[in-house]
Amino acid sequence: MKIDPINILPVGAGAREPSSQGLAVIDVSDIERGNAAALADVAARVDAACTATGFFVAVGHGVDRSLTAAALAAANDLFRSDGVTKDGLRLQCPPGVQRGYYGLGAEAQALAAAPPTNPASGSGPADPATAAGRAAPADPAADRPDLSETFAIGPEPPVDAGPFTAGNVWPPHLPGFQRTWIAYRRAMEAFAHRLLQVAALALRDDPRAFDALVTRPIGTTRANHYPALAAPPEAGQRRGGAHTDYGTLTVLAVDGHPGLEVRVGEAWVPVTCPPDGLVVNVGDLLAVLSGARWRSAWHRVAVPPGRPPYPARTSIAHFQFPNHDAVIDGVDPAGRPVSITAGAYLTTKLAQLGRVAPRATTVRHRNEVTA
């Protein structure tokens, strides 16, 4: 059965509110203007989208499009580097921390859909994403490595994040990479914080309600590269397995190639994004803070429809994640109270990701296009 791409619904004056079958495009430019009525209107639209699907596309976000393009180009330059060079960008990181380069097959993101075996501190379920009512989609091939390689940075300069404190590594053979990526991360940090204030207005009627949670945020900014494939993947294998995101908000820049799919009801629905848009989605911890009003939606990256070869795809995800010692209090989808420490939750989820091949390999996949 052919699934049509998720509708892009331009939400504005006179437009329909998002529905469970649509991904809203929301002009968020009003959050910069200091107009209380306009800000409340944006908050209402974001609330509707996050309640319906947990995803929306932000336009009018103020992030320079040329900066996003430069960050994507720099990421592609890095991923085109030879294996020895990329291996030199690996870092030994503390548990729960991702920095530097991770080779093809380092993760199987669908593995993190399983409930953790050692619950994090707190009275509620250790994994808000897999509590009753949020069961993972059935995936018999969850342990297959993802057909992706990644490069991640954290705050620059590093923040005091206790056991999550870590520096960054930069590719010395790519002049300008560090400058471009630091500028891009700072733009993402600022935009994600503004969005979190919109969320706080929608959920707490106070735009500053969540500010204390992100004074020392530990989230990463990560490039994801899905190499071109000359043949279809093995049965059940995907570029990125089904997963939810773990923190508060994720802001994703894409290169225009298809592949991102969101779980809507029982269907996996392709997502498209206008050239000037950024894809935004709710993470597990913000869903808890919302009292399960907002959805932390399952999503994955698949090869596009049709016959091979399949083109390469690159995206950059900025994962907003609270302070490592922030206590997240709320409700899971089954209505049960949750009290969980942000850092403990992140450590558990990342440990599950690495059960396939920690740090991984630069060996090419058998289907990867090399020419």
Side-chain angles (χ1 to χ4, degrees), residues 5-16:
I6 266 182
N7 297 324
I8 298 298
L9 303 177
V11 179
R16 291 184 295 134

Side-chain angles (χ1 to χ4, degrees), residues 65-334:
R65 188 172 172 182
S66 65
L67 177 59
T68 300
L72 284 164
N76 282 324
D77 287 343
L78 186 152
F79 291 123
R80 279 193 292 264
S81 303
D82 62 77
V84 172
T85 299
K86 290 188 286 189
D87 283 345
L89 300 174
R90 298 174 186 267
L91 284 181
Q92 292 299 318
C93 297
V97 175
Q98 289 187 325
R99 299 286 189 276
Y101 176 74
Y102 292 73
L104 190 68
E107 298 178 344
Q109 293 189 82
L111 282 176
T117 55
N118 296 311
S121 60
S123 60
D127 191 345
T130 54
R134 290 282 293 111
D139 191 348
D143 60 345
R144 297 283 180 87
D146 293 341
L147 298 176
S148 66
E149 56 183 336
T150 65
F151 178 82
I153 67 167
E156 182 66 37
V159 299
D160 180 6
F164 295 83
T165 303
N168 293 308
V169 61
W170 302 103
H173 65 296
L174 295 176
F177 184 102
Q178 180 176 355
R179 181 178 63 255
T180 297
W181 263 60
I182 289 175
Y184 182 76
R185 179 179 169 93
R186 289 177 178 168
M188 287 293 103
E189 287 175 328
F191 176 53
H193 188 254
R194 293 193 297 271
L195 283 181
L196 190 64
Q197 292 182 331
V198 171
L201 180 62
L203 298 171
R204 299 288 191 273
D205 201 29
D206 176 3
R208 304 289 181 182
F210 298 147
D211 280 6
L213 298 177
V214 290
T215 57
R216 294 168 287 109
I218 60 174
T220 59
T221 304
R222 188 173 95 155
N224 309 289
H225 181 245
Y226 311 95
L229 299 176
E234 297 176 5
Q237 191 169 34
R238 296 183 177 84
R239 285 176 156 178
H243 63 285
T244 61
D245 291 342
Y246 315 140
T248 42
L249 290 165
T250 301
V251 182
L252 182 75
V254 297
D255 66 358
H257 290 293
L260 178 63
E261 297 179 340
V262 177
R263 187 79 168 180
V264 180
E266 297 300 314
W268 286 105
V269 184
V271 173
T272 59
C273 181
D276 60 340
L278 294 168
V279 181
V280 180
N281 65 279
V282 175
D284 297 342
L285 297 184
L286 186 55
V288 167
L289 288 167
S290 77
R293 174 180 173 83
W294 285 10
R295 295 169 51 83
S296 179
W298 296 100
H299 52 285
R300 68 185 187 185
V301 179
V303 295
R307 299 177 60 83
Y310 302 111
R313 181 179 188 271
T314 302
S315 63
I316 304 177
H318 176 73
F319 299 102
Q320 185 190 62
F321 204 93
N323 308 339
H324 76 282
D325 52 0
V327 177
I328 307 300
D329 293 316
V331 175
D332 74 17

Side-chain angles (χ1 to χ4, degrees), residues 4-79:
D4 291 329
I6 266 182
N7 297 324
I8 298 298
L9 303 177
V11 179
R16 291 184 295 134
E17 290 296 317
S19 71
S20 62
Q21 295 298 314
L23 187 64
V25 173
I26 302 178
D27 185 342
V28 297
S29 57
D30 283 339
I31 67 178
E32 295 289 350
R33 296 172 182 163
N35 182 304
L39 182 59
D41 184 54
V42 172
R45 299 176 199 170
V46 169
D47 180 49
C50 293
T51 300
T53 65
F55 270 76
F56 64 93
V57 170
V59 296
H61 42 69
V63 178
D64 190 329
R65 188 172 172 182
S66 65
L67 177 59
T68 300
L72 284 164
N76 282 324
D77 287 343
L78 186 152
F79 291 123

Side-chain angles (χ1 to χ4, degrees), residues 332-349:
D332 74 17
R336 298 177 297 195
V338 173
S339 184
I340 191 168
T341 303
Y345 184 60
L346 180 61
T347 299
T348 299
K349 301 298 282 186

